Structures are given as C-alpha cells and as structure tokens.
Amino acid sequence: MQINGKYRPFESVPLKNRTWPDNSITKAPIWCSVDLRDGNQALINPMTVEQKLEFFDLLVKIGFKEIEVGFPSASDTEFAFMRRLIEENHVPEDVTLQVLCQAREHLIKRTFESLKGCKKAIFHMYNSTSPAQRKYTFNKTKEEIKQIAIDGIACVKSCLSMSEGTDVRLEYSPESFSTTEVDYAIEVCEAVVKAWGDAACDDQHKVILNLPTTVECAMPNQFADQIEYFCKNFPGRENVIISLHNHNDRGEGVAQCELGLLAGADRVEGCLFGNGERTGNLDIVNVGMNMYTQGIDPELDFSNMPMLTEAYTRLTGMEIHPRTPYSGELVFTAFSGSHQDAIRKGMAARVTMDENAYWDVPYLTFDPHDIGRQYEGIIRINSQSGKGGAAYILEQDFGICAPKSMHPAIGAVIQKQADKLQRELQPNEIYEFFAEKWLNTKAPLNVLEISERHIEGERGAETEQVAAMATVEWEGKQYAIAANGNGPLDAFVTAMKQTPAPKFNITSFHEHSIGKGSDTKAIAYVQITKENGDQVWGVGKSSNVGRAGIAAVVSALNFN
C-alpha cells in the first residue's frame, strides 16, 4: 500500500510526569452493560422486545448493577421495552436503568415519559464535540457546541419533576472524546457539571462523565495519557465518576480500557463478547476474565460460560469466533504435539494437588472448570498433533491408559489417519482407528478356539502350571497347538512356537481394568520383540484377565 497524505499520526497529549505506567488494577470498576443499546443497534436483525427482556434478565444474573436499556425516544419499540421492564417488575432493587438521549428538548421529554415508575435511573445525555463533528455534522463553533450541552442539561433539570419518585442521576458523554481536543473536552464537561449544580449533592449522585472512544484512533498508551490528563486537570475530579466507553477499531479496545483504568477511570461501559458497531464495543467478558486470572474479583459471574455463550448467540444471532479469548470454542484446545504433551503432564500433576493450588499448567492461563468448561476439549487431534495427544483422548474419554512407551506408536497411527483425511479427528474416530489397528485384528493370526487347564503340581510349588490348547489360523492355514507355562499367557506364547509365526519374546507388559461393575474388563498392552529385532505393541481386551494378555499378543503379531 502506498503511503500518501490522507492519513497522519494521532497527536499525543502533553502529559508530564505520567503515573499510570506504575499503577496496577486492584479492584473491579463500576460495570455498565450497553448490550441492549449499542449492542442491539449493531445487530443485523435487532432483538424483539421479548428477546431484550430475556437478555436483560441474563445481564442481571451475571451481576450488572447498571444496564443501559436503550434509547426510549428513538422508537415505539424502545419505549415499549422500557415500559415493560418497569411495569412487569423486571428490575431488582439494586439495579439501575440507564437511558440514552441526545441533547435535544423533545427527545429529552419523551425519555422522561418512559421513566414513569422507575425507582433508579441514569439519564445519559450526549452531544458530539470532535472537530470533524463540529465541521461536518453541525457546522458550529466550539462555543455553540458547548451551549448545546448546557441547554440540554437545563432541559433535563426542568424535566426532573416528570420523574417524581425516580432517583435520577446524570451521565454526560462528549461523544467522540477520543478525537476531541482534550482541553476542550474538559471545558465542555466542566460546563455540564456546573449547569447540573446542586443535583449532584452527594457521593451517590456524582455526575458520570463518560469519555467514549467512539472511534478508536490512538495507541493504548496515548489513550491512557488522555484519561490521566483529563483526571488531573478536571476541576473537582473527586466529585465526578470518570467512565470509559471503548470501541475496537484498531483491535486494541481491551488494552485501551485496561490502561484507561490505570490512568484513573472508575467505570466501564461495554458489551458481552465485544458486540457493537463496526469492529465492536469493548468486550466486558474479556476485561473481567483478565482480572479474574490475576486474582481480582471482577464482581461479574462468568462461571457458566457455555450457558452465557448459548444465550448470547441465540438472542443476538451473532457467532462467537472460536479464538475469542475465554469464550471461544478453541481457546482451551491444543493441536500442537508439544503443547499437548505439556498440558497432559500438567493436568496429571494437578490431580494430586489441592484444587485451590496456584494454577501453572503450561499453555492454559486458567482452569477451564472455573467457567464451566470441561477438560475433554483441551486436546484436539489433527495432522499437527504429537504422540501424546491421541493417548490423552483415549485415556480421558475411553479409559484406555496406554503405557507411555506406547504413545509414539498410537500417535503415529492416528496422525497418519488425520493427515489422510486432512481434518480434525473426533474422539470417537480416534477410538475407532485405535480399535481397528489393535483390538479388532484377525489376520494374519486368528485364534479360532482356545482353552486352558491348571496342572496339579507339587504342594508348595512357587508357580502354578497351566496347559493351553488352541486352534489358530496363520495366513489362512489352521494349526492345533498346545503347551504348558506358568500362566495362560506364558503357555500360549510357548505354544505359538509350533506355528510359522515369527518367533518373539515379550519385552513389556501392562494391564489394568476398564469399566465398572458387571461391565468391568481387563485391558492388556504387550510389547514383543521379534527375532529380527523389530518391536511392536499389541492391545487386548477381555472379561478374562488371562485372555486379555493373549489377545494383546495376537494384536502385536498382527500389527503392520
């Protein structure tokens, strides 16, 4: 792309002795959801009133205490939604409804009509202040734009009598704060607070000055400078609440919000999963979970993320990208072999620890169980997966605990299938390929019939002798074989020497039970070393412990 004069760098704020880089986020801000306003207006198909009511109840359940429910003067639908919230008692005592309105007299009056019967409300008034808005939208001077804000506040104050019984607080936004000269933004906000006057008479009624990144155009550190400059230079800073309303045009909305909090902001507006105009509003789930993973209570409940994501997609029609932090389908998933191995080892170690022990599992920033996710999805198998991933799936989903030395063999078989299919393999497919390769083979060796009997030995003998008799088929030809041994497996291995099958020794043997109750079976893993030096693994499963080992030997001889 060719650089031309169309674009220029964002102008930095003249902030000296900035303090925000040394600060830390130590507590949750005041949260305000704007899903029902910013989020809803950005949907291809806006929510119906019934859907908005359900979404409101969801936001309350999560823990939001301030919820911007819409623009009641904008349409009959918005007005009707506001009335139903109030008249049907959807609003808990500790939740405040926030309504948005432009600084225009007829809209302000209509908005106050919608508040009748509301116990607590935040009246959010705004007007645009940026140079571009002054030039193109309004064709007005700075003084004229400021007067719009002052006149709007006067109108709001005159309408307070219409809301008798409603505890009304004021929020003011210099829209496009992010591109407004910061000193001018301070000037306008100061005029608003002065015009509001004694209406903000105590800590519970501080004016909320919302500083929206209506269009994200600066680097996060530059935005932090804007916020700290505003906080340091606003007269009576201690008497107002500084609120952030970030968008994501540069893909840095979360970073700008977090640095804005470091710079002194008290409050945050945003949407679940970053829904909003253009590239979206701030993702409150992301910011809240970032706090949680640093040991800070976000004061919002995301412990049932699957429920939350299901409701969100159903009500809004918006999909959550699978790589979305914390909530995406694949965020706890590893395809890489080295990642899978590290996760598997870390998870195995956690089994022996206290559940509240410090979380340090490689590649997982926090415990998926904390948000209602399960471990089954952590490792997913494709052609990039390593030796341990498939073994982990077999163990977690099917109880097949193959010995570690067998993992490379399992990984090679499953990886070959994934490479052949050129896609991810589901757990049931992994099991089917495993069973096809090791459990269900009948060629070149197939046992047609087998029996064993115990041989009476001398009293006090250390080992018990067993006679094994079998009819087997090797490469299509039958053989009747028999031999004695110190157990069914040993006897069968000795008897196999009577066939043309390759001579071998058992060099590794592992066994465990699988299933529960009457369905319990034994599963055996056998590594044999053939006389040519080749080593192969076999797996056998049977309700008879001795037969499981024999089946594993047959499996090993059939492996190719």
Side-chain angles (χ1 to χ4, degrees):
M1 297 175 66
Q2 184 177 358
I3 299 298
N4 51 43
K6 188 185 297 184
Y7 306 105
R8 60 187 176 188
F10 184 82
E11 294 183 10
S12 298
V13 175
L15 177 65
K16 296 181 179 179
N17 301 316
R18 58 181 55 82
T19 62
W20 65 260
D22 295 325
N23 294 337
S24 299
I25 296 174
T26 58
K27 64 178 182 178
I30 302 167
W31 299 108
C32 178
S33 162
V34 294
D35 288 271
L36 297 171
R37 196 268 299 179
D38 265 32
N40 187 58
Q41 77 177 24
L43 299 177
I44 297 173
N45 298 304
M47 288 182 278
T48 64
V49 171
E50 295 298 331
Q51 288 174 319
K52 291 181 74 173
L53 288 169
E54 183 179 349
F55 206 113
F56 178 85
D57 292 341
L58 176 66
L59 294 170
V60 170
K61 183 177 181 179
I62 293 169
F64 286 98
K65 303 303 180 185
E66 297 181 3
I67 301 173
E68 188 165 275
V69 294
F71 204 138
S73 62
S75 70
D76 291 340
T77 300
E78 292 282 283
F79 191 94
F81 171 58
M82 185 69 179
R83 296 310 308 154
R84 287 190 62 181
L85 281 174
I86 297 169
E87 293 169 1
E88 296 176 7
N89 298 315
H90 284 270
V91 188
E93 292 285 340
D94 61 346
V95 172
T96 301
L97 299 184
Q98 181 169 304
V99 288
L100 184 69
C101 186
Q102 291 175 324
R104 300 172 65 183
E105 182 178 359
H106 70 288
L107 298 179
I108 291 172
K109 290 180 178 180
R110 177 65 170 164
T111 302
F112 268 97
E113 290 174 10
S114 76
L115 290 176
K116 184 178 180 180
C118 179
K119 294 180 180 179
K120 295 189 297 183
I122 295 172
F123 194 97
H124 182 187
M125 192 193 80
Y126 73 96
N127 65 297
S128 296
T129 57
S130 70
Q133 293 276 20
R134 299 195 303 262
K135 177 181 177 181
Y136 296 113
T137 307
F138 299 103
N139 190 27
K140 291 184 182 294
T141 65
K142 285 183 176 181
E143 283 299 317
E144 290 172 322
I145 292 294
K146 182 171 67 173
Q147 193 60 46
I148 290 175
I150 294 171
D151 292 343
I153 295 301
C155 184
V156 172
K157 291 180 69 175
S158 70
C159 291
L160 288 175
S161 60
M162 297 172 58
S163 60
E164 186 176 351
T166 302
D167 185 359
V168 178
R169 298 173 60 195
L170 175 68
E171 176 175 347
Y172 172 71
S173 290
E175 190 193 4
S176 299
F177 166 80
S178 51
T179 50
T180 297
E181 306 92 326
V182 68
D183 286 311
Y184 177 61
I186 292 173
E187 179 183 336
V188 174
C189 289
E190 183 181 3
V192 164
V193 173
K194 184 177 179 180
W196 187 245
D198 293 339
C201 57
D202 55 50
D203 288 346
Q204 283 69 47
H205 294 84
K206 290 181 177 180
V207 173
I208 301 168
L209 295 179
N210 189 52
L211 307 179
T213 311
T214 308
V215 177
E216 185 186 40
C217 54
M219 293 176 64
N221 63 301
Q222 294 172 312
F223 177 73
D225 281 351
Q226 283 182 304
I227 299 302
E228 183 167 338
Y229 185 95
F230 188 100
C231 290
K232 284 183 173 180
N233 291 279
F234 187 83
R237 162 67 180 95
E238 68 279 5
N239 298 318
V240 297
I241 292 173
I242 302 300
S243 177
L244 305 177
H245 182 109
N246 299 93
H247 280 250
N248 199 43
D249 298 87
R250 288 170 55 94
E252 298 171 327
V254 168
Q256 288 209 358
C257 173
E258 292 179 332
L259 268 60
L261 290 173
L262 295 180
D266 311 297
R267 184 177 183 269
V268 169
E269 295 186 348
C271 293
L272 300 180
F273 311 116
N275 185 32
E277 296 281 18
R278 305 182 308 279
T279 58
N281 282 47
L282 173 77
D283 183 348
I284 282 186
V285 177
N286 196 338
V287 177
M289 288 304 303
N290 282 356
M291 293 179 184
Y292 178 81
T293 60
Q294 298 295 302
I296 301 165
D297 182 2
E299 300 179 11
L300 294 174
D301 185 3
F302 300 126
S303 61
N304 192 346
M305 195 69 75
M307 176 279 295
L308 183 57
T309 57
E310 184 281 326
Y312 170 81
T313 55
R314 174 171 50 82
L315 293 171
T316 67
M318 299 288 287
E319 296 294 330
I320 296 173
H321 192 280
R323 301 294 184 188
T324 300
Y326 302 107
S327 56
E329 178 189 359
L330 298 178
V331 296
F332 301 117
T333 297
F335 289 102
S336 162
S338 60
H339 291 202
Q340 291 174 351
D341 184 59
I343 290 172
R344 181 178 56 81
K345 291 174 180 175
M347 296 300 295
R350 292 289 302 184
V351 174
T352 63
M353 300 180 186
D354 182 272
E355 64 176 345
N356 293 319
Y358 174 70
W359 181 267
D360 61 352
V361 173
Y363 299 110
L364 297 182
T365 57
F366 74 106
D367 187 346
H369 273 154
D370 291 349
I371 58 170
R373 296 282 291 268
Q374 299 298 318
Y375 291 140
E376 285 81 350
I378 288 177
I379 289 179
R380 306 267 287 267
I381 305 302
N382 63 16
S383 61
Q384 304 303 306
S385 303
K387 61 185 179 181
Y392 183 89
I393 295 294
L394 291 170
E395 179 175 345
Q396 292 295 305
D397 289 22
F398 304 101
I400 298 172
C401 304
K404 185 174 180 179
S405 50
M406 188 183 176
H407 290 185
I410 296 174
V413 167
I414 302 304
Q415 187 180 50
K416 182 178 179 180
Q417 292 294 335
D419 197 47
K420 179 180 178 181
L421 296 173
Q422 287 295 298
R423 61 172 173 81
E424 178 192 356
L425 301 182
Q426 298 302 311
N428 64 310
E429 292 180 303
I430 293 169
Y431 176 81
E432 289 170 2
F433 289 133
F434 174 84
E436 179 183 352
K437 196 68 175 179
W438 278 289
L439 294 177
N440 302 331
T441 59
K442 294 184 178 181
L445 177 63
N446 187 22
V447 178
L448 303 176
E449 184 179 0
I450 188 170
S451 63
E452 64 266 345
R453 63 179 176 82
H454 296 278
I455 301 173
E456 293 291 337
E458 295 182 5
R459 182 174 297 176
E462 293 184 1
T463 59
E464 182 180 19
Q465 289 290 299
V466 172
M469 294 153 285
T471 301
V472 301
E473 187 177 69
W474 176 261
E475 295 184 340
K477 186 175 180 180
Q478 290 187 12
Y479 298 88
I481 58 176
N484 297 341
N486 56 18
L489 177 59
D490 183 54
F492 179 77
V493 169
T494 301
M496 279 300 299
K497 295 178 181 179
Q498 301 166 17
T499 72
K503 303 300 183 286
F504 64 91
N505 293 313
I506 294 177
T507 49
S508 185
F509 180 86
H510 302 265
E511 192 174 50
H512 66 80
S513 60
I514 187 171
K516 295 181 180 180
S518 59
D519 292 329
T520 301
K521 294 184 178 182
I523 186 165
Y525 311 88
V526 168
Q527 184 190 58
I528 65 173
T529 301
K530 299 179 183 178
E531 56 187 350
N532 64 359
D534 290 346
Q535 291 185 320
V536 291
W537 282 93
V539 185
K541 184 168 65 171
S542 174
S543 56
N544 182 303
V545 174
R547 295 287 175 85
I550 293 171
V553 167
V554 174
S555 170
L557 286 169
N558 287 338
F559 186 86
N560 58 67

